[in-house]
């Protein structure tokens, strides 16, 4: 029996995903996420855009150095400086790749590049050849390919392959195409480009019309053997094709989509939660595969069918994607060993002080809540991981609120090891908490987003708070959970402040 063709999963969460407004990640967060991607089986990790900033360069270099099996890729424009910077960043990877690109559509060439077709063709050949001098693995992309003249696109790709490109990416940069059209484009290109068999063809789809996953699958059915995607569909504007949806579509519908990936789907739920925690972007409840309601059933008809046979309404098993069957299994009498086993079953592998700290937090939570659900444990650990290495640390909060007023907040923080105290009033308890933090850490940022939702059901449920701050053109998001909504609010605000201050310092140093 012939094995199904292997489809490479190219994850761009750390590059295209991080370009989502407010989704920037810290150095430590990038390393943590890249490590999980390798464990998950991602073939290619696009670790960043090294020429964009010193921070991006450092992150790509560190991810390359820690990598074991995945191809580590950096993005570069077609300029010599970009390509040299990218080559330097990925050189420590066991399997380095340089991904260079240039716009090819008439509108981009005229208004963005201000270059004619001949100049673009020259840039394609020069940039790919330069990249190939540094590594045998070179990817070339035609930005805005789906709005490019077909004959010109063929010429560009022909030059790229002749110059040494080993992967050809045909991106739907603005999410303009639809499945029949996008699939047909791949088929025509492969049939018309000389030496098309010398390169792997790749799809990179944006979701502006909600068709990114469908377009990616159509490309594969017409010859593409790499899909560029992001966890939770993170990315510019409406985002990229969602990794978890692409992977499970091919796994569940292997009958009509006979392709295989190297992704272990049990990591999908964990990866989704990690990206949500790092970026502060909540996952919509009805999100396919990883949403809270993806395996939930409320309708009586559905519940009746599920009780008789789960296959009546579920086309995949929740445990296949890392969602536990049962969530009511932990409580205040649970021991350290049971807690560690539970963490490992959820994809968390903590050792030493990290495990001890998580267990203490779990015990504190279990004393406050009647039942501790898997979702409670996940946000507890994620919140702990998010706070590691932060300059400003939450210690204590006391709030006075109610109809009598005034609403007052007292807060203790540690700023670079020094204890700080503040008391402030506000127009409501949350405003008072944030005003107290501003007294200790003054800043002129605007609160763009304040969002609260319950992690689980019940009046004792933990609250997850997401905030987004915007200051001096820099956006930062923070997210935290706690049974006390005001404590969660303070921690989330502090996570955002820590990120904002770090990015401002990085900008000044640049």
């Amino acid at each position: 029996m012939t094995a199904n063709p292997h489809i490479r999963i190219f994850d761009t969460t750390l590059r295209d995903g991080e370009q989502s407004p407010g989704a920037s990640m810290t150095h430590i967060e990038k390393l943590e996420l890249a490590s999980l991607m390798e464990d998950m089986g991602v073939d290619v990790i696009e670790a960043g855009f090294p020429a964009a900033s010193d921070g991006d360069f450092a992150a790509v270099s560190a991810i390359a150095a820690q990598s074991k099996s995945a191809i580590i890729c950096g993005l570069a424009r077609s300029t010599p400086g970009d390509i040299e910077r990218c080559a330097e960043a990925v050189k420590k990877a066991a399997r380095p790749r340089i991904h260079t690109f240039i716009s090819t559509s008439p509108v981009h060439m005229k208004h963005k590049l201000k270059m004619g077709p001949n100049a673009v063709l020259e840039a394609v050949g020069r940039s790919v050849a330069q990249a190939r001098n540094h590594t045998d693995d070179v990817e070339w992309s035609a930005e805005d390919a789906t709005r490019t003249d077909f004959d010109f696109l063929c010429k560009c790709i022909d030059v790229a392959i002749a110059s040494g490109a080993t992967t050809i990416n045909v991106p739907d940069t603005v999410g303009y195409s639809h499945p029949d059209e996008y699939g047909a484009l791949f088929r025509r290109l492969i049939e018309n480009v000389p030496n098309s068999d010398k390169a792997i063809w790749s799809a990179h789809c944006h979701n502006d019309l909600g068709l990114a996953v469908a377009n990616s699958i159509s490309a594969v059915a017409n010859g593409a053997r790499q899909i560029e995607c992001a966890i939770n569909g993170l990315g510019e504007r409406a985002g990229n094709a969602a990794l978890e949806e692409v992977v499970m579509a091919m796994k569940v519908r292997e009958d009509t989509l006979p392709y295989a990936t190297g992704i272990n789907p049990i990591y999908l739920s964990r990866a989704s939660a990690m990206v949500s925690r790092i970026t502060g972007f909540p996952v919509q409840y009805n999100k396919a595969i990883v949403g809270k309601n993806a395996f939930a059933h409320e309708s009586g008809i559905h519940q009746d069918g599920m009780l008789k046979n789960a296959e009546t309404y579920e086309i995949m098993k929740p445990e296949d994607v890392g969602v536990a069957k049962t969530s009511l299994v932990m409580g205040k009498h649970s021991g350290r060993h049971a807690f560690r086993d539970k963490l490992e079953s959820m994809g968390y592998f903590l050792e030493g002080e990290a495990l001890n700290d998580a267990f203490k937090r779990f015990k504190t939570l279990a004393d406050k809540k009647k039942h501790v659900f898997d979702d409670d444990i996940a946000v507890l650990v994620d919140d702990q991981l998010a706070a590691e290495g932060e300059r400003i640390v939450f210690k204590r909060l006391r709030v006075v609120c109610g109809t009598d007023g005034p609403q007052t907040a007292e807060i203790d923080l540690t700023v670079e090891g020094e204890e700080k105290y503040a008391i402030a009033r506000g127009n409501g308890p949350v405003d008072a908490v944030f005003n107290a933090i501003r007294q200790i850490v003054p800043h002129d940022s605007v609160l763009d987003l304040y969002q609260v939702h319950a992690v689980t059901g019940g009046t004792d449920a933990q609250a997850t708070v997401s905030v987004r701050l915007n200051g001096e053109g820099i956006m930062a998001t923070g997210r935290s959970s706690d049974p006390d909504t005001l404590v969660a609010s303070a921690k989330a605000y502090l996570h955002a402040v820590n990120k904002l201050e770090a990015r401002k310092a990085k900008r000044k140093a640049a």
Side-chain angles (χ1 to χ4, degrees):
M1 184 176 177
T2 304
N4 290 341
H6 177 75
I7 305 302
R8 286 184 175 181
I9 296 299
F10 175 115
D11 186 285
T12 188
T13 307
L14 293 167
R15 199 278 299 170
D16 201 331
E18 200 200 13
Q19 290 176 200
S20 296
S24 293
M25 308 172 195
T26 66
H27 186 86
I28 293 173
E29 289 167 344
K30 289 181 180 181
L31 292 177
E32 177 190 4
L33 184 54
S35 179
L36 179 63
M37 287 178 188
E38 267 204 305
D39 292 343
M40 186 164 61
V42 168
D43 297 284
V44 186
I45 299 173
E46 190 168 47
F49 194 164
S53 69
D54 289 341
D56 248 32
F57 178 86
V60 175
S61 299
I63 290 168
Q66 77 171 17
S67 65
K68 299 168 186 171
S69 57
I71 295 168
I72 305 302
C73 174
L75 185 70
R77 290 165 297 193
S78 60
T79 60
D82 268 31
I83 293 168
E84 291 302 312
R85 190 74 166 154
C86 186
E88 180 68 19
V90 300
K91 70 179 183 180
K92 292 182 181 177
R95 303 172 67 192
R97 173 183 291 187
I98 295 174
H99 178 192
T100 184
F101 72 97
I102 192 169
S103 297
T104 55
S105 69
V107 64
H108 275 226
M109 288 192 294
K110 179 179 178 181
H111 298 290
K112 177 182 169 183
L113 299 180
K114 301 188 185 305
M115 292 170 65
N118 289 336
V120 169
L121 283 169
E122 189 277 331
V124 172
R126 174 183 42 75
S127 59
V128 172
Q130 181 186 355
R132 189 61 191 260
N133 284 335
H134 293 285
T135 176
D136 291 337
D137 191 346
V138 175
E139 176 170 341
W140 179 78
S141 289
E143 187 178 10
D144 204 20
T146 53
R147 295 192 297 174
T148 297
D149 173 77
F150 179 77
D151 290 338
F152 181 65
L153 184 58
C154 287
K155 289 179 183 178
C156 289
I157 295 172
D158 184 22
V159 169
I161 294 175
S163 302
T166 51
T167 299
I168 296 296
N169 182 35
V170 186
D172 186 22
T173 304
V174 293
Y176 178 73
S177 199
H178 58 79
D180 287 346
E181 180 182 62
Y182 194 58
L185 176 60
F186 272 82
R187 186 170 62 253
R188 287 182 67 203
L189 287 170
I190 292 170
E191 290 172 352
N192 285 275
V193 172
N195 296 318
S196 64
D197 59 330
K198 304 297 183 185
I200 291 173
W201 291 76
S202 180
H204 179 118
C205 298
H206 280 264
N207 206 40
D208 297 71
L209 294 176
L211 296 170
V213 170
N215 284 341
S216 300
I217 296 297
S218 181
V220 166
N222 285 277
R225 291 296 177 262
Q226 176 177 283
I227 294 178
E228 306 191 4
C229 46
I231 297 165
N232 292 345
L234 198 66
E236 292 267 21
R237 303 181 314 280
N240 289 279
L243 180 148
E244 59 279 0
E245 295 177 25
V246 164
V247 168
M248 292 310 293
M250 289 186 284
K251 183 175 178 61
V252 172
R253 293 308 313 275
E254 190 180 11
D255 56 332
T256 57
L257 299 171
Y259 310 103
T261 74
I263 300 294
N264 182 348
I266 198 170
Y267 285 90
L268 294 176
S269 182
R270 166 85 192 280
S272 170
M274 181 183 290
V275 169
S276 179
R277 180 257 299 173
I278 288 173
T279 62
F281 288 12
V283 178
Q284 66 189 65
Y285 277 26
N286 63 334
K287 168 77 172 64
I289 316 298
V290 292
K292 186 183 289 288
N293 287 350
F295 298 97
H297 306 271
E298 184 169 338
S299 157
I301 295 173
H302 284 219
Q303 289 177 348
D304 178 65
M306 286 295 297
L307 290 171
K308 291 172 179 173
N309 188 318
E311 292 183 5
T312 54
Y313 287 103
E314 286 187 350
I315 59 174
M316 67 195 95
K317 296 177 181 177
E319 57 267 30
D320 287 347
V321 297
V323 177
K325 280 184 176 179
T326 307
S327 56
L328 275 176
V329 292
M330 300 294 292
K332 64 181 180 180
H333 300 298
S334 299
R336 185 185 305 270
H337 182 73
F339 178 68
R340 183 173 184 167
D341 283 350
K342 166 56 71 176
L343 287 180
E344 291 183 358
S345 74
M346 297 169 64
Y348 295 95
F349 299 92
L350 304 183
E351 301 288 346
E353 281 305 306
L355 177 62
N356 292 337
D357 290 346
F359 185 65
K360 289 176 186 176
R361 288 162 58 86
F362 162 71
K363 281 292 192 179
T364 300
L365 178 63
D367 283 334
K368 295 178 181 179
K369 288 198 68 186
K370 185 176 181 180
H371 300 300
V372 179
F373 296 80
D374 287 359
D375 285 346
D376 290 314
I377 296 172
V379 297
L380 178 151
V381 176
D382 285 340
D383 196 40
Q384 175 183 327
L385 293 172
E388 289 182 359
E390 291 191 334
R391 188 176 71 91
I392 309 159
V393 180
F394 174 87
K395 303 299 290 186
R396 183 191 72 93
L397 177 68
R398 180 176 180 270
V399 180
V400 177
C401 58
T403 57
D404 293 338
Q407 287 77 35
T408 307
E410 300 176 43
I411 196 164
D412 290 303
L413 306 176
T414 301
V415 182
E416 295 182 337
E418 184 181 351
E419 298 288 333
K420 300 280 188 177
Y421 167 81
I423 182 169
R425 293 181 177 181
N427 183 22
V430 174
D431 189 45
V433 170
F434 292 174
N435 287 340
I437 293 173
R438 283 176 182 269
Q439 283 192 20
I440 298 174
V441 191
H443 60 90
D444 57 0
S445 306
V446 176
L447 182 66
D448 277 350
L449 172 74
Y450 174 77
Q451 190 174 65
V452 183
H453 72 268
V455 175
T456 59
T459 55
D460 62 351
Q462 288 195 90
T464 291
V465 176
S466 300
V467 303
R468 182 168 66 232
L469 297 177
N470 190 338
E472 298 178 16
I474 302 172
M475 280 195 285
T477 56
R479 196 177 186 213
S480 188
S481 302
D482 195 272
D484 188 313
T485 304
L486 295 174
V487 172
S489 300
K491 290 179 177 179
Y493 193 85
L494 280 173
H495 289 331
V497 168
N498 273 291
K499 289 182 180 179
L500 199 68
E501 295 299 307
R503 286 167 199 157
K504 286 182 179 179
K506 187 184 297 183
R507 174 187 280 183
K508 289 178 182 176

